[in-house]
Structure formats: C-alpha cells, structure tokens
C-alpha cells in the first residue's frame, strides 16, 4: 500500500471512515494499528475519522482514544436525520470519554440526491449541528449533494462557524467561489474525484482555491483515486489526491503536502 510519491512528505487524511476501510464484519480486515501503520508508510501521519451516526461516532472516538494518529468527529449524516440527533451534545460534554480527541461536528448537511430522510428533517438536523459547532468551537464538517442553494442559505442564516469544511467537494469553480466567499474560515476538501477524467470542473475548483483554504481526504473506503479506481479506498492513498491537486494547480507535490498539512492542523486544531 506504499504510495509511489511518498518522498518523505507528511500528509493528513482530513476525512475517512476507518471502520469500513478495515472490512465489513471482519472480511479483509486489518487491525487499527495495522491501518495506521499502513497509512504512515505512505506518509499519511494523521487521520480524521468521521462520524455519521451514533454508532459510527462512538467508534471514531474509540479509535482516536486508541491511537494518537487519529482524531474524531461526531455527527449525523443527512441520510440518517430521521434517527434524531439528541445524542450528539452529550458526546461533547467536558467529561465525555475521549472528548479531547473530538475535533469536529459532522459530517452533517443536506443530501437531495437520495432523500433518505425528509428534507425538512435534514434541514433541522443541519441547523442543530451548526449550532453545536458554534457552541463548542469545533470545526463543522459539511456533506452537501444537489443542495448547494439550501446549504449556502442555511449557513448564512445560522452563521458560518469559524472553522468550516466542505468535505468531498464536488463542485466546480462557481460553487468553490461561493463557498469560499461565505467566510474566511471556510475550506474545501478535495477527494479522489479531483483525479477523475470525468471531473474537469473539480480540477478547476482546485486550481482557483487558495493554498491556505483546502485539505485533502480519501473519504475511504469510497472514491478511490486514480490509478486505483475499482479498489477499496484507504488513507494511504491521500498522496495520490494531493498529487492530483498539485497537477490542477501547476504546483509541486511538496508544496501541496505542506499546505494541506498546515491547513488541516488549523482547521481541526490538531496538536
């Protein structure tokens, strides 16, 4: 799993789902320590394990407690808005287990492509989690799909948290400009999509994004970057995402590695 472009560079996977990268129900499973070691071999030294519901948020926190290379977010994905979100705030209490390893709220937002939960419930869940990011001074991790206008409208009405990231940014130049204009603390997170031949608009967004306003992620086990499409994605593929961003911006990979490392540290306040 070693990346061909490691070159001693340091990377942060700003968004991954480790319970899936290790294999469902033990199939093709790695231990957590093996997963972290494999990522480190590729130069990926920090992982942000992202919660999407109560069980996965709890697991992400347990991973972060177990490994100093991992930090966690807790949140409710819009697909699961019908399940309720009252459990999130107790996880943010000062005496909650692993609280010092929680660096963000989310992923949360709006998904009008699948509409697995009613749109009004999605909006209520999103508003509640924006409020929690404000109240606890945590990064807000946004998922938005086919819902740009409502996502922007809600952020403007609820207030953009001082540290906010559009995870797995899928838009083009116009969407990137609107997101970045919301507030100085907004970042775009680029995934393997930026390497796909079918996503020239995503490379245009990467090209215009300032060096201090982006992170790189795998969203593993999904969205595997070129040349590994068709395989399960893993955090160790982050350098390939970084290389695609570098190509889009006409910069060296080392410059992208350094910028994305610093940006992730600032976004999530990684110690």
């Amino acid at each position: 799993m070693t990346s061909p472009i490691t070159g001693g560079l340091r990377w942060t996977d700003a968004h991954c789902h480790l319970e899936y990268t290790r294999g469902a129900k033990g199939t093709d499973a790695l231990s957590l320590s093996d997963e972290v070691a494999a990522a480190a071999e590729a130069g990926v030294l920090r992982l942000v394990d992202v919660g999407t519901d109560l069980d996965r948020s709890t697991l992400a926190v347990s991973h972060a407690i177990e490994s100093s290379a991992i930090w966690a977010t807790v949140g409710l994905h819009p697909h699961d808005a019908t399940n309720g979100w009252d459990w999130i705030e107790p996880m943010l209490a000062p005496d909650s287990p692993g609280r010092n390893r929680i660096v963000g709220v989310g992923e949360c937002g709006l998904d009008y492509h699948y509409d697995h939960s009613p749109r009004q419930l999605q909006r209520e869940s999103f508003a509640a989690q924006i409020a929690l990011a404000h109240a606890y001074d945590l990064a807000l991790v946004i998922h938005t799909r086919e819902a740009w206008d409502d996502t922007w409208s809600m952020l403007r009405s609820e207030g953009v948290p001082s540290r906010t990231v559009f995870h797995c940014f899928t838009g083009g130049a116009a969407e990137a400009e609107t997101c970045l204009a919301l507030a100085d603390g907004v970042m775009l997170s680029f995934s393997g999509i930026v390497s796909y031949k079918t996503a020239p608009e995503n490379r245009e967004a990467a090209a215009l994004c300032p060096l201090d306003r982006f992170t790189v992620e795998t969203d593993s086990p999904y969205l595997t970057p070129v040349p590994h499409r068709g395989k399960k994605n893993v955090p160790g593929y982050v350098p390939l995402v970084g290389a695609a961003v570098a190509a889009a911006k006409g910069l060296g990979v080392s410059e992208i590695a350094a910028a994305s490392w610093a940006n992730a540290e600032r976004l999530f306040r990684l110690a």
Side-chain angles (χ1 to χ4, degrees), residues 191-204 223-229 240 244 247-248:
S191 68
I193 292 173
V194 75
S195 70
Y196 298 172
K197 291 181 179 179
T198 54
E201 71 288 343
N202 199 235
R203 285 185 287 280
E204 292 172 4
L223 301 174
T224 309
V226 172
H228 299 299
R229 289 195 74 179
L240 297 171

Side-chain angles (χ1 to χ4, degrees), residues 121-145:
L121 266 184
Q122 291 187 45
R123 289 189 284 267
E124 291 174 12
S125 173
F126 188 26
Q129 291 177 84
I130 294 171
L132 288 173
H134 280 297
Y136 291 91
D137 192 22
L138 291 167
L140 180 70
V141 181
I142 296 174
H143 170 109
T144 182
R145 187 169 186 186

Side-chain angles (χ1 to χ4, degrees), residues 8-152:
L9 303 178
R10 300 183 302 171
W11 299 92
T12 301
D13 186 347
H15 192 112
C16 58
H17 304 281
L18 292 178
E19 75 274 26
Y20 293 131
T21 63
R22 293 206 307 283
K25 298 181 179 179
T27 303
D28 190 29
L30 291 173
S31 69
L32 185 67
S33 60
D34 286 344
E35 184 83 30
V36 170
E41 188 179 359
V44 185
L45 306 181
R46 302 187 304 202
L47 314 173
V48 179
D49 194 1
V50 173
T52 57
D53 59 20
L54 173 57
D55 289 343
R56 291 165 190 163
S57 295
T58 301
L59 188 58
V61 173
S62 73
H63 290 162
I65 292 171
E66 183 175 343
S67 172
S68 62
I70 300 171
W71 285 262
T73 75
V74 297
L76 184 68
H77 195 285
H79 288 344
D80 299 308
T82 53
N83 295 334
W85 51 88
D86 289 349
W87 53 269
I88 300 174
E89 188 161 18
M91 294 187 73
L92 302 179
D95 58 351
S96 179
R99 174 62 181 85
N100 64 325
R101 305 297 295 170
I102 297 173
V103 295
V105 175
E107 64 183 278
C108 59
L110 306 174
D111 193 311
Y112 293 172
H113 178 77
Y114 289 109
D115 281 325
H116 287 327
S117 288
R119 292 184 180 185
Q120 181 56 34
L121 266 184
Q122 291 187 45
R123 289 189 284 267
E124 291 174 12
S125 173
F126 188 26
Q129 291 177 84
I130 294 171
L132 288 173
H134 280 297
Y136 291 91
D137 192 22
L138 291 167
L140 180 70
V141 181
I142 296 174
H143 170 109
T144 182
R145 187 169 186 186
E146 297 180 16
W148 286 114
D149 288 342
D150 278 5
T151 299
W152 295 328

Side-chain angles (χ1 to χ4, degrees), residues 184-215:
D184 290 342
V186 172
M187 293 192 191
L188 311 180
S189 190
F190 292 98
S191 68
I193 292 173
V194 75
S195 70
Y196 298 172
K197 291 181 179 179
T198 54
E201 71 288 343
N202 199 235
R203 285 185 287 280
E204 292 172 4
L208 69 81
C209 186
L211 271 177
D212 62 348
R213 303 286 297 276
F214 79 96
T215 60

